[in-house]
Amino acid sequence: MAKLKKQAYISVPSQIISTLSSSSIQSLLSPNKSPNHKNPPWRSLRFWFLCLFLCAFIGMVNTWFFNLDPLVPFSPIPCSILPQHSSSIPNLFSSSHHLNNGEDLKINKEGEEEEEEEEKENEEEESEFWKQPDGLGYKPCLGFTREYKKWSRENAKDRSKYLMVVVSGGLNQQRNQIVDAVVIARILGAALVVPILQVNVIWGDESEFSDIFDLDHFKKVLANDVRILSSLPSTHVMSRPMEGNRMPVNVTPQWIRAHYVKRFRRDGGVVLLRALDSRLSKDLPSDLQKLRCKVAFHALKFAPSILELGNKLTERMRRKGPYIALHLRMEKDVWVRTGCLPGLNHEYDELIRKERKLRPDLLTSKSNMTSHDRKLAGLCPLNALEVTRLLKALGAPKNAGIYWAGGNPLGGKEALLPLTREFPNLYNKEDLALPGELEPFASKASFMAAIDYVVAENSDVFMPSHGGNMGRAIQGHRAYAGHKKYITPNKRQMLPYFLNSSLPEAEFNRIIMEFHRDSIGQPELRTSKVGRDVTKYPVPECMCNHSSSHSS
């Protein structure tokens, strides 16, 4: 194949060409001239090559130094000798380019502003979620009356009456009974032998009082209220304690004195009581209500080993930022006892129905209601999906750390999937503990429950999925600590909206937020409703603000 001839071209501006005469061109093309004839410099070929080079160089310098936008092309006439207005093409191109740039910049700026506004709104929602309720200046105030203090001094000399109590149930149920045992001992003027923790049939926990609580601290704090003894004195060891009859519900101090003072004299000075849960009236004289708070919030301190591990787990949660604590009631026995269905799938629902038929005595709710009616009445625990939707509607950040307390849910980790999908930073004590940290206490349910209590109490926000002794105890504890945020799910009002699938998410969130505006742990007067427990609502008997009057 023949080789193609390569040709080179030199671009010469038309203005230059037009300035040349035909003779000049001819002279360029005819180099053989007389050596004695001197041609003008512009007739030299080198002169024009130099001009072309200078024009090209000036154009490049102008582009590099005065127009840094690489998208603006070179001027088609860099060395034009014509007035600038005679060439409109570069100006038109440049103006349209700058116009497009301006529109792009405007669009980009608007987009950035929208993103900034959205980020700002998200940050405000997040900060609003972590915001603590207004405590209205309420602080603990346990000023007892002079009569109470005088009677304490006289009671300290009595060595003839000793009260023994056996407390049952889970950890927080036992706490409630211990509180009332101290108050009953005070009413009777008796010394209290350290309460016996009944072995739990379900969990098989054989822990003693000193395994869970700091016994020395318990004695020291209550030294001016009730004498606490580790055991019966030698003078009464051989005495057979007389077990009192089962107390009715909500008994008064007068009823207690009328039924038990005589028994001390008749039965060797020792009385044994069992099943104290909810037996003592919620409405007692002011000094006795204060004593309840003193026991619950000051005397019942967990054992050092529990506090140490609980605080370690708290620190590990804190490394991830502020955190939410959830008390999830999703265990198999909870679904059976409440008469509700877990809602995982048909298989698990049938399992609960069969279990309930085999053990109808376990059902604690009204037996004439269907599981659906119970749910709408707010009698059922929230499942993981409902907890997730509630937290999202209340503005919980997706990256929030969540500590969940409670027993293993029916369905295992599958039951928690709705939560973990939306809130991936979900942990329990097993997730946070180092290898071997929990092994010594694996068979002690009360110890494990106490660890959950410590981490939950230390959280920035607490929410239970269902009412219960732990939820009530932590609610009171957080109130007494300055009304730390505590979300009470308004199940009866909100659940119909959970079942409405056609409701837009924004509207759903607005409604749920409105339902819980006054349910985040603000101070509530115990006296506003009959039968409220002072250890759940410590205002006004145990907490005062600058406008409250209290005994000194």
Side-chain angles (χ1 to χ4, degrees):
M1 182 180 293
K3 292 184 179 180
L4 295 173
K5 293 183 178 180
K6 296 183 179 179
Q7 296 178 342
Y9 296 89
I10 298 174
S11 177
V12 179
S14 60
Q15 292 88 340
I16 297 174
I17 298 296
S18 62
T19 60
L20 299 176
S21 64
S22 58
S23 60
S24 299
I25 297 173
Q26 184 65 33
S27 64
L28 285 173
L29 298 175
S30 305
N32 297 325
K33 295 288 178 182
S34 173
N36 296 324
H37 180 72
K38 293 183 179 180
N39 293 325
W42 57 82
R43 291 187 179 183
S44 170
L45 187 60
R46 292 180 181 178
F47 172 82
W48 293 112
F49 273 116
L50 180 61
C51 289
L52 286 173
F53 174 79
L54 289 174
C55 288
F57 180 79
I58 292 170
M60 292 170 64
V61 169
N62 180 62
T63 301
W64 290 339
F65 289 94
F66 298 100
N67 188 0
L68 299 179
D69 191 342
L71 296 179
V72 178
F74 290 101
S75 172
I77 313 177
C79 297
S80 176
I81 60 174
L82 298 176
Q84 189 163 347
H85 68 267
S86 66
S87 179
S88 60
I89 296 176
N91 292 337
L92 288 173
F93 185 89
S94 177
S95 64
S96 64
H97 173 74
H98 289 307
L99 179 62
N100 291 337
N101 265 356
E103 290 176 355
D104 291 343
L105 289 172
K106 184 177 180 181
I107 293 171
N108 291 339
K109 188 175 181 181
E110 289 176 354
E112 290 175 0
E113 288 177 353
E114 289 177 1
E115 289 179 2
E116 288 176 1
E117 288 178 4
E118 187 175 346
E119 289 177 3
K120 188 176 180 180
E121 288 177 2
N122 292 336
E123 289 175 1
E124 288 177 355
E125 287 179 4
E126 290 183 12
S127 62
E128 187 68 23
F129 179 80
W130 298 117
K131 185 179 178 181
Q132 297 300 310
D134 184 359
L136 302 179
Y138 280 101
K139 296 180 180 180
C141 58
L142 299 181
F144 293 95
T145 62
R146 293 178 181 177
E147 290 77 10
Y148 181 92
K149 295 175 182 177
K150 180 181 177 182
W151 198 79
S152 295
R153 290 190 294 269
E154 294 174 356
N155 185 46
K157 302 173 184 177
D158 193 335
R159 297 290 187 273
S160 62
K161 292 176 286 188
Y162 300 92
L163 178 65
M164 299 181 66
V165 296
V166 177
V167 297
S168 58
L171 171 67
N172 295 291
Q173 194 174 358
Q174 290 175 344
R175 283 173 61 97
N176 295 337
Q177 294 173 60
I178 292 169
V179 169
D180 281 356
V182 173
V183 176
I184 292 172
R186 170 76 191 195
I187 292 170
L188 294 171
L192 176 66
V193 179
V194 173
I196 301 167
L197 309 187
Q198 182 175 309
V199 177
N200 193 292
V201 178
I202 298 176
W203 299 296
D205 190 345
E206 299 182 359
S207 299
E208 297 182 357
F209 186 98
S210 57
D211 295 328
I212 307 300
F213 303 105
D214 188 331
L215 180 54
D216 292 336
H217 180 79
F218 185 71
K219 290 179 179 180
K220 182 179 179 180
V221 170
L222 297 175
N224 295 326
D225 304 279
V226 174
R227 281 197 307 130
I228 308 294
L229 305 177
S230 297
S231 60
L232 283 171
S234 57
T235 54
H236 290 74
V237 168
M238 300 305 294
S239 301
R240 182 182 178 182
M242 184 66 184
E243 186 168 349
N245 297 330
R246 186 180 179 88
M247 282 187 194
V249 178
N250 293 327
V251 299
T252 63
Q254 293 78 9
W255 188 96
I256 290 173
R257 292 191 188 99
H259 284 76
Y260 295 116
V261 170
K262 292 180 181 178
R263 291 198 176 191
F264 283 114
R265 301 171 188 161
R266 188 183 64 192
D267 303 323
V270 182
V271 171
L272 173 64
L273 297 178
R274 297 177 185 269
L276 297 180
D277 196 28
S278 299
R279 300 299 160 181
L280 188 59
S281 173
K282 306 297 182 187
D283 301 303
L284 297 175
S286 177
D287 282 329
L288 295 180
Q289 295 288 62
K290 286 179 168 59
L291 179 57
R292 271 178 160 159
C293 292
K294 188 174 183 178
V295 179
F297 305 135
H298 295 275
L300 280 176
K301 180 182 175 182
F302 286 120
S305 56
I306 292 175
L307 286 177
E308 182 182 3
L309 183 51
N311 289 330
K312 281 182 180 179
L313 300 189
T314 297
E315 289 174 7
R316 291 167 195 168
M317 284 299 300
R318 284 254 177 261
R319 290 172 193 165
K320 310 172 194 304
Y323 70 95
I324 308 164
L326 301 176
H327 186 213
L328 301 180
R329 304 305 309 279
M330 297 165 56
E331 303 95 319
K332 178 182 175 181
D333 69 296
V334 173
W335 296 117
V336 173
R337 286 190 289 104
T338 56
C340 303
L341 297 176
L344 290 172
N345 54 44
H346 179 72
E347 180 183 350
Y348 284 114
D349 287 350
E350 280 302 309
L351 176 66
I352 295 302
R353 287 192 184 98
K354 290 178 181 178
E355 191 74 20
R356 195 174 295 136
K357 287 180 181 178
L358 294 174
R359 297 290 307 276
D361 55 302
L362 294 178
L363 189 62
T364 56
S365 300
K366 297 177 181 179
S367 58
N368 60 341
M369 296 176 69
T370 65
S371 59
H372 182 72
D373 291 338
R374 292 174 198 271
K375 178 177 280 292
L376 291 179
L379 300 175
C380 293
L382 298 177
N383 59 32
L385 178 59
E386 292 159 346
V387 169
T388 303
R389 293 191 68 191
L390 176 56
L391 287 176
K392 285 183 64 180
L394 294 178
K398 186 178 180 66
N399 63 348
I402 298 181
Y403 179 89
W404 70 273
N408 292 325
L410 177 67
K413 291 185 177 180
E414 179 186 349
L416 298 175
L417 281 178
L419 257 175
T420 53
R421 287 195 191 107
E422 193 64 36
F423 299 99
N425 298 321
L426 183 70
Y427 309 93
N428 66 356
K429 52 186 173 292
E430 282 80 11
D431 299 321
L432 296 173
L434 299 177
E437 275 186 319
L438 293 176
E439 285 181 11
F441 319 105
S443 61
K444 296 183 177 182
S446 293
F447 188 99
M448 294 295 201
I451 293 295
D452 279 343
Y453 194 102
V454 173
V455 184
E457 166 55 21
N458 289 336
S459 67
D460 298 272
V461 178
F462 177 81
M463 187 180 83
S465 68
H466 191 53
N469 290 304
M470 179 175 176
R472 286 192 288 269
I474 289 183
Q475 180 174 347
H477 225 130
R478 293 176 74 84
Y480 196 76
H483 290 92
K484 296 161 65 178
K485 190 166 185 176
Y486 179 105
I487 300 171
T488 304
N490 196 334
K491 292 186 284 187
R492 186 174 297 180
Q493 280 191 308
M494 73 182 188
L495 282 173
Y497 295 92
F498 275 68
L499 301 175
N500 184 357
S501 58
S502 63
L503 192 66
E505 184 177 3
E507 180 64 10
F508 172 82
N509 293 348
R510 185 193 66 78
I511 293 171
I512 298 304
M513 185 75 78
E514 189 62 32
F515 284 158
H516 293 84
R517 197 168 298 282
D518 298 322
S519 302
I520 57 172
Q522 300 95 330
E524 291 186 61
L525 296 180
R526 187 193 73 84
T527 50
S528 63
K529 287 187 179 179
V530 178
R532 280 184 165 181
D533 195 334
V534 72
T535 56
K536 183 179 179 182
Y537 300 97
V539 177
E541 289 97 337
C542 301
M543 299 186 75
C544 318
N545 61 14
H546 62 279
S547 62
S548 303
S549 59
H550 58 277
S551 302
S552 58

